[in-house]
Amino acid sequence: MELMVPLLVFIADVVLFVVIGYAALYALRRINRYEEPLNRFIIVTAFSLLLASIGRAMDIIDDFMTRPEILWPMKQVSYFLSILGIAYGLMNYIRSVEKRIFPVPSGKVLDGTLPPGGFIYLGENEGEVLEFLGKCEVPAMVITRSPWKYEDICEHVHTLWITQASESGVGPTRLHVILDSAVKFFQGGGKLIVIDCLEVLVLYNEFQSVFRFLSALKDYAIGTGSTVLLLVGNPTLDEKEMMILKREFAPIKDLKELLRISP
């Protein structure tokens, strides 16, 4: 058989076939090794790569054909399905991971109400915070360094873990990601955002950046008739920073005040 294309084109076709074929086999060997959603992503990717490797094999064959256009329809179908599969698998996997990391309201209708706006709790009673979350009867999300503290309160309380050491949370410097998650929580029916790790956010970011983040979050809360609650225990902010926060967020010393002034 005579080669009908330049040698470099043939070599490129062979290299791509080997690389894609090896990637397909690599993925196939890992099917059922992991839990969902990763396993589903591996399955879709493996078979998509197999389709792509078939297309590359046809590319090698038509390098020796005088009429390569005969194989073009089959190659186009192979590549089309391959790209479609990889795109679907990737988006589905990202969506599944985001659902695990970023909480969404359960969809259950709750009767509780809270005053919209921003508030700052100056107490240090952790038990009062947990009791408040259990009684407020609204879909709530706690942005926290310690999500395990809120696991057994009730099913309407979700957590967003602020951490740099796990893929199951969000880094403290990613204020835009935290804000986006909180906004989506409000848009999905959430009514309360609690931030109990303000000192960590300030530690990893400039205070001005954190304040802009909090101000934007409060504006979104007001726009959706929701509430933002900052928990500030032992002061880690200087007096000037605390004064700035208190001008934007109404100070409260007893969380029962929020329940009493609910509309």
Side-chain angles (χ1 to χ4, degrees):
M1 297 177 64
E2 182 181 354
L3 187 63
M4 306 301 295
V5 298
L7 181 60
L8 286 178
V9 173
F10 174 71
I11 292 174
D13 286 341
V14 172
V15 170
L16 286 174
F17 170 73
V18 172
V19 171
I20 295 174
Y22 177 79
L25 291 175
Y26 186 87
L28 282 170
R29 292 174 180 173
R30 280 155 180 78
I31 291 178
N32 295 327
R33 183 180 294 188
Y34 306 101
E35 299 295 328
E36 300 295 347
L38 180 56
N39 186 62
R40 183 168 61 251
F41 174 61
I42 291 175
I43 292 173
V44 173
T45 301
F47 285 99
S48 298
L49 289 172
L50 277 177
L51 286 172
S53 64
I54 292 172
R56 296 313 305 176
M58 286 187 285
D59 272 325
I60 294 175
I61 293 172
D62 70 20
D63 288 345
F64 296 92
M65 296 176 61
T66 55
R67 296 182 59 196
E69 64 274 9
I70 295 176
L71 294 179
W72 286 355
M74 290 185 288
K75 287 194 299 181
Q76 293 301 319
V77 170
S78 174
Y79 291 141
F80 174 79
L81 294 177
S82 174
I83 294 172
L84 200 65
I86 291 176
Y88 166 78
L90 181 61
M91 290 188 293
N92 188 67
Y93 178 65
I94 292 174
R95 190 181 302 112
S96 299
V97 172
E98 286 183 341
K99 285 182 179 179
R100 189 179 72 245
I101 297 176
F102 303 115
V104 294
S106 62
K108 181 180 178 181
V109 177
L110 301 172
D111 297 328
T113 57
L114 291 174
F119 302 88
I120 180 170
Y121 173 61
L122 303 176
E124 299 182 14
N125 188 340
E126 183 177 301
E128 184 181 351
V129 174
L130 298 179
E131 182 181 0
F132 165 75
L133 288 172
K135 289 182 177 180
C136 64
E137 285 298 314
V138 296
M141 178 173 77
V142 184
I143 300 173
T144 178
R145 285 277 299 142
S146 308
W148 47 88
K149 293 194 304 186
Y150 304 93
E151 287 179 350
D152 300 322
I153 299 178
C154 50
E155 60 182 22
H156 69 262
V157 177
H158 309 270
T159 58
L160 177 63
W161 188 16
I162 303 302
T163 177
Q164 287 186 314
S166 173
E167 295 181 354
S168 297
V170 179
T173 60
R174 296 182 174 271
L175 296 177
H176 63 289
V177 177
I178 301 172
L179 179 62
D180 183 63
S181 176
V183 170
K184 288 180 179 177
F185 189 79
F186 283 147
Q187 293 174 341
K191 290 299 180 182
L192 172 64
I193 298 288
V194 178
I195 301 178
D196 81 345
C197 57
L198 181 61
E199 68 282 0
V200 173
L201 299 181
V202 174
L203 180 65
Y204 281 89
N205 305 273
E206 293 183 354
F207 175 77
Q208 292 84 353
S209 299
V210 175
F211 182 73
R212 286 195 295 269
F213 155 75
L214 294 174
S215 297
L217 183 58
K218 176 188 171 184
D219 290 343
Y220 279 111
I222 294 174
T224 57
S226 305
T227 307
V228 176
L229 176 64
L230 308 181
L231 306 182
V232 180
N234 295 321
T236 56
L237 305 177
D238 60 37
E239 185 176 347
K240 180 181 178 181
E241 292 170 343
M242 279 300 296
M243 288 299 297
I244 293 174
L245 277 182
K246 287 180 180 179
R247 284 200 296 266
E248 187 75 12
F249 293 85
I252 55 173
K253 293 185 178 180
D254 187 343
L255 290 174
K256 294 184 179 66
E257 295 177 27
L258 288 182
L259 300 176
R260 286 198 296 267
I261 62 178
S262 299

